[in-house]
Amino acid sequence: MLHGTLHTDSHLVVGLAAFLMFGSAAAAQLVLGRLLLPRLLTVGAVAFPVGLVLCAVALYHPALWLYLVAVSLSGAGSGLLFKGGVERAVSVAAPASRAGVLAVFFVVAYLGMGLPSVLFSIALRHFAVQTAMIGFAAVLSCGAVVSVAVALRDRAPGPGALSAQSARPY
């Protein structure tokens, strides 16, 4: 995208985009990490899609500054969604099974981070970059919003506390 659409050959700018994405994820977690879980997830579920939309807009109206803002915003949103996901997983896990729940969470999270990149690369063989980006932005945004809605629908009983339903013997 940087080379083809934004006509940037600078390795520094490519590195800056990656740095801004991951740095804003970490900064958002540090700055907003004390928000209550519903607010944390809501802010992430808004920032992530807005960043993806701006990234798609940067493909149609090429501007490096817009692309860098887009990756920063989507990075911040994804960082908040990740932090909120970890908090939610820990809050619903029984104390004896937290390690297992977090292990599964991280496996799924790594698949969720890696698989879209691979699929996007495959999509680029069949579609223009603008079309592929709009499609992936829509799918990832819907996935984030639905995930947050499901996570917030059933409130966690609290760290380590089991809900009445999960405490039933089978």
Side-chain angles (χ1 to χ4, degrees), residues 39-75:
R39 180 146 313 179
L40 183 78
L41 288 172
T42 302
V43 171
V46 170
F48 181 65
V50 169
L52 291 177
V53 166
L54 290 177
C55 192
V57 169
L59 287 170
Y60 286 98
H61 303 287
L64 180 60
W65 69 269
L66 181 58
Y67 178 74
L68 295 177
V69 168
V71 298
S72 298
L73 197 53
S74 61

Side-chain angles (χ1 to χ4, degrees), residues 28-149:
Q29 290 177 8
L30 291 172
V31 172
L32 301 174
R34 293 187 181 199
L35 291 177
L36 295 176
L37 183 60
R39 180 146 313 179
L40 183 78
L41 288 172
T42 302
V43 171
V46 170
F48 181 65
V50 169
L52 291 177
V53 166
L54 290 177
C55 192
V57 169
L59 287 170
Y60 286 98
H61 303 287
L64 180 60
W65 69 269
L66 181 58
Y67 178 74
L68 295 177
V69 168
V71 298
S72 298
L73 197 53
S74 61
S78 64
L80 294 176
L81 290 171
F82 187 81
K83 180 174 177 39
V86 170
E87 286 183 23
R88 178 70 170 137
V90 167
S91 73
V92 298
S97 65
R98 277 194 189 134
V101 169
L102 285 175
V104 170
F105 176 85
F106 277 97
V107 167
V108 171
Y110 290 139
L111 284 172
M113 287 184 263
L115 193 57
S117 299
V118 172
L119 293 175
F120 186 76
S121 297
I122 293 169
L124 287 177
R125 293 181 180 181
H126 305 286
F127 302 100
V129 67
Q130 292 89 346
T131 305
M133 183 61 202
I134 289 171
F136 272 78
V139 169
L140 294 175
S141 296
C142 288
V145 170
V146 167
S147 297
V148 167

